[in-house]
Amino acid sequence: MIHPCTTVRSVSEQIGIGVFATAFIPRGTIIVVRDAYDLCLTRQEFQELPPLMRRNMETYMYHDHQGNLIMSWDHARYMNHSCNSNTLMTDYNLEIAVQDIQPGEEITTDYGLLNVQEPYALLCGCRNCRTRLRTDDLERFADSWDQSILDSLLQLNQVLQPLESILSSTERKRLEELQQKPQRYSSVRNLQWPRPEP
């Protein structure tokens, strides 16, 4: 489920639609929680769908660390990529704001965390754009993403969290423990699928 202070609107003719903040959202705010209503298909289940359905759904899906294809049930699936994204996916079944997000600002994520299976050109046009999404982006940028995520997760108790009640008891416990023991942070490397060869 996505943060309630968000809406969908047009970005550009080239990009299409995106998700925008309708109010100020401070760094450390949970933006998206993966919940029981998100669609989760095994790769086999996905392949058994009619081709037309697969083509239309694939744009909005990502692979989790087990190789399942996930699609959010709400407008979280319309979040666009930015190489300087203001949110990042974590290994806590949530996406966290890693920057303050102003009212009217587009809420973006980094597709490098979504286990893409083929490289493709990026259209974000942001400063320091990588121009191409690569299949090894997660490994290449894990250290910097981890630092941004950890710093932001440690702000969880300092800001309003409208999605806190959506968190599973397991994730809530992990996040509470993290506030006391930051050294137990779970790296985004744990999101990677398929796992790299040892």
Side-chain angles (χ1 to χ4, degrees):
M1 181 173 183
I2 196 166
H3 194 285
C5 294
T6 59
T7 191
V8 175
R9 69 174 200 241
S10 176
V11 177
S12 69
E13 190 173 321
Q14 184 181 31
I15 293 174
I17 60 174
V19 177
F20 291 79
T22 60
F24 176 69
I25 301 175
R27 177 180 174 223
T29 303
I30 297 169
I31 299 296
V32 178
V33 172
R34 181 171 164 187
D35 64 46
Y37 294 98
D38 289 337
L39 181 63
C40 177
L41 298 174
T42 65
R43 288 172 64 76
Q44 181 176 340
E45 289 169 334
F46 180 73
Q47 289 302 321
E48 290 170 355
L49 294 173
L52 181 61
M53 286 183 72
R54 288 201 310 270
R55 278 195 304 274
N56 283 294
M57 292 169 68
E58 198 166 25
T59 300
Y60 304 109
M61 303 185 96
Y62 66 91
H63 287 93
D64 69 9
H65 68 279
Q66 296 173 317
N68 297 315
L69 287 133
I70 311 299
M71 184 168 70
S72 297
W73 62 267
D74 61 6
H75 59 275
R77 67 181 178 268
Y78 299 123
M79 287 173 64
N80 289 315
H81 168 86
S82 172
C83 298
N84 300 299
S85 64
N86 49 28
T87 79
L88 289 170
M89 184 179 285
T90 73
D91 189 40
Y92 295 87
N93 280 325
L94 61 87
E95 188 114 3
I96 188 89
V98 294
Q99 302 170 25
D100 288 344
I101 303 171
Q102 302 301 322
E105 183 179 350
E106 185 176 7
I107 297 174
T108 56
T109 189
D110 197 305
Y111 287 0
L113 288 158
L114 303 184
N115 289 311
V116 296
Q117 299 301 295
E118 293 179 17
Y120 59 85
L122 294 169
L123 304 175
C124 63
C126 62
R127 63 181 165 77
N128 304 319
C129 180
R130 302 198 299 268
T131 70
R132 209 160 167 72
L133 197 67
R134 294 175 24 177
T135 56
D136 64 345
D137 277 355
L138 199 155
E139 186 57 39
R140 291 170 56 221
F141 299 106
D143 289 341
S144 63
W145 288 338
D146 277 338
Q147 191 59 61
S148 292
I149 292 167
L150 177 57
D151 291 347
S152 301
L153 286 173
L154 293 176
Q155 299 297 311
L156 281 176
N157 296 335
Q158 310 303 314
V159 297
L160 187 64
Q161 299 292 353
L163 297 180
E164 186 175 12
S165 63
I166 307 298
L167 291 168
S168 70
S169 57
T170 301
E171 297 305 344
R172 196 174 294 118
K173 185 175 179 183
R174 290 178 71 210
L175 291 166
E176 287 169 1
E177 182 179 76
L178 179 67
Q179 303 306 307
Q180 304 301 316
K181 299 176 181 177
Q183 67 273 20
R184 294 201 177 174
Y185 167 75
S186 185
S187 171
V188 293
R189 286 184 173 86
N190 295 316
L191 297 173
Q192 194 164 1
W193 177 86
R195 295 284 183 180
E197 293 294 325

